[in-house]
Amino acid sequence: MSVIRTPAKHFAPLAIGAPEPYRSLPVRIERMIHFIPPHNEKIRAKLKDTIGQVDVVLGNLEDAIAVGEKEQARAGFVSMANAFDFGQTGLWTRINCLNSPWMLDDVTDIVAHAGNKVDVIMLPKVEGPWDIHYLDQLLAQLEAKHKVARPILIHAILETAEGVKNVEAIAAASPRMHGMSLGPADLAASRGMKTTRVGGGHPDYGVLADPSKDGGPRAHYQQDLWHYTVGKMVDACLSYGLKPFYGPFGDFADGAACEAQFRNAYLQGCLGAWSLHPSQIDIAKRVFSPDPKEVAFARKILEAMPDGTGAVMIDGKMQDDATWKQAKVIVDLARLVASKDPERSAAYGF
Ligand code: GLV
Ligand code: MG
């Protein structure tokens, strides 16, 4: 059983003067969380264009930022947060993990100097609800101190065996929770999985077809190593009204495999993935925007059953209250995508 504050206190600010927690998450399209190294001036200089191309810009302070560059990355993030108008594009940061020497300064500096700009803090290596409670309280104190108007949300990375074991309690830990991403690299290490890849499949993880009568070669079907964890994360997130995301795909040269991995996550319920390379932005847009043919069919279902009840046949396929709900998921997502993406809006015929 996960232990949470009493319902009345669950939505009370954790510090006097901190903003009220959201009762439901702001509606935002977040097909890709685009990672940038904020200490890199060249990349910061191109941000105006990047902001127009992506749904979320994330300034990364954790892994991939060398020890000697941690302070510059933090300062670079504060500077980019204040230098640009992000409009409908989300501004996130991935801070260092709780047991690192940088985490406290990451949070205190960022809330002090960019607290009214940042939408979401991504917290790595979350192991249980206690990690969320700590950041929740600290953020409330800092929001109150620096007069931050909107609550800064927390997005957990699911990347330790203990975190996966506790995923439901993490989802329930605070109304500040935005969602979760799978962290396949750290998770593989934490679990002792024998792969050096960052996400994606593995040629040895699969099933062998039954032997054929003629003794011919047997087909080997590769399976998705991340299926179980993504499914567990999606159920934990959706049951608490949070958003699940696939995380990173490390082989930038293999766009097709990246697309296949993102699509598995999309079909299982995820709303986006990380883009670590510009080539992955379009892949994420393609995958996490519903297919126009699927949208057209879903609209037919909604039109054929205006009050969402009963049973009808469309193109030889049975539709009822449940398929009406499935259709609504697709059409609602398409409308959200269309609100930000004029090209797709036209393809959907809105
Ligand atoms: C991401 O942080 C990962 O460890 O895969
Ligand atoms: Mg990681």
Side-chain angles (χ1 to χ4, degrees):
M1 191 193 88
S2 63
V3 179
I4 58 168
R5 287 187 286 275
T6 59
K9 285 191 187 148
H10 188 67
F11 287 104
L14 292 180
I16 298 165
E20 291 263 336
Y22 291 116
R23 296 267 163 164
S24 54
L25 288 176
V27 178
R28 283 272 181 105
I29 179 81
E30 292 162 337
R31 293 166 295 183
M32 79 299 296
I33 303 164
H34 187 63
F35 273 54
I36 60 138
H39 56 291
N40 184 319
E41 272 175 47
K42 268 211 218 129
I43 289 182
R44 283 211 317 268
K46 284 194 287 194
L47 261 181
K48 201 167 180 310
D49 292 339
T50 313
I51 291 167
Q53 285 157 10
V54 303
D55 296 340
V56 173
V57 174
L58 178 144
N60 179 28
L61 310 185
E62 199 224 11
D63 292 358
I65 306 297
V67 168
E69 285 168 338
K70 292 286 186 191
E71 261 99 37
Q72 284 125 284
R74 186 191 300 138
F77 179 75
V78 167
S79 133
M80 69 180 237
N82 290 302
F84 296 95
D85 177 1
F86 289 79
Q88 273 309 297
T89 301
L91 175 63
W92 297 23
T93 180
R94 177 169 78 166
I95 59 172
N96 287 285
C97 60
L98 285 157
N99 61 3
S100 76
W102 307 287
M103 184 270 178
L104 187 61
D105 287 343
D106 289 346
V107 181
T108 47
D109 275 18
I110 286 168
V111 182
H113 304 297
N116 276 308
K117 295 294 295 268
V118 65
D119 296 297
V120 177
I121 288 184
M122 183 182 270
L123 184 64
K125 301 174 179 67
V126 174
E127 306 225 281
W130 52 88
D131 290 339
I132 305 297
H133 295 156
Y134 171 77
L135 181 57
D136 194 9
Q137 184 72 65
L138 179 61
L139 281 172
Q141 292 169 325
L142 293 167
E143 286 168 346
K145 179 170 174 184
H146 299 291
K147 306 203 170 14
V148 172
R150 303 171 296 148
I152 298 168
L153 296 173
I154 301 174
H155 182 101
I157 313 181
L158 199 57
E159 54 181 352
T160 67
E162 191 173 3
V164 175
K165 187 188 75 179
N166 294 326
V167 65
E168 209 181 304
I170 294 168
S174 163
R176 209 187 271 282
M177 283 298 292
H178 163 277
M180 285 180 214
S181 290
L182 172 77
D186 270 302
L187 183 54
S190 166
R191 279 178 173 161
M193 291 167 74
K194 313 301 180 293
T195 166
T196 52
R197 299 175 174 205
V198 177
H202 191 287
D204 296 340
Y205 188 78
V207 291
L208 202 58
D210 286 357
S212 59
K213 287 202 184 74
D214 61 9
R218 297 165 67 181
H220 179 265
Y221 300 103
Q222 207 175 311
Q223 308 282 299
D224 184 354
L225 262 180
W226 304 106
H227 180 81
Y228 152 77
T229 317
V230 170
K232 195 166 167 167
M233 176 180 74
V234 167
D235 284 343
C237 283
L238 271 292
S239 60
Y240 288 95
L242 313 184
K243 299 180 170 187
F245 291 72
Y246 181 78
F249 189 90
D251 187 351
F252 302 155
D254 195 350
C258 175
E259 183 155 346
Q261 181 73 80
F262 283 7
R263 189 157 282 115
N264 284 357
Y266 169 73
L267 289 169
Q268 275 190 278
C270 290
L271 290 168
W274 302 1
S275 48
L276 300 183
H277 185 271
S279 65
Q280 296 180 336
I281 296 172
D282 277 342
I283 298 177
K285 276 191 191 164
R286 234 180 357 261
V287 171
F288 293 100
S289 309
D291 175 22
K293 284 204 257 7
E294 193 89 65
V295 175
F297 188 67
R299 289 177 77 182
K300 264 195 197 174
I301 299 174
L302 298 187
E303 278 153 27
M305 300 172 61
D307 68 356
T309 68
V312 295
M313 294 299 288
I314 301 179
D315 303 347
K317 299 184 188 78
M318 188 278 298
Q319 312 299 330
D320 66 3
D321 308 42
T323 59
W324 185 91
K325 289 177 199 151
Q326 289 176 278
K328 189 158 178 335
V329 166
I330 304 229
V331 174
D332 286 352
L333 179 59
R335 286 201 192 282
L336 192 57
V337 168
S339 69
K340 160 125 195 182
D341 189 330
E343 215 176 285
R344 285 193 169 79
S345 177
Y348 296 147
F350 287 143

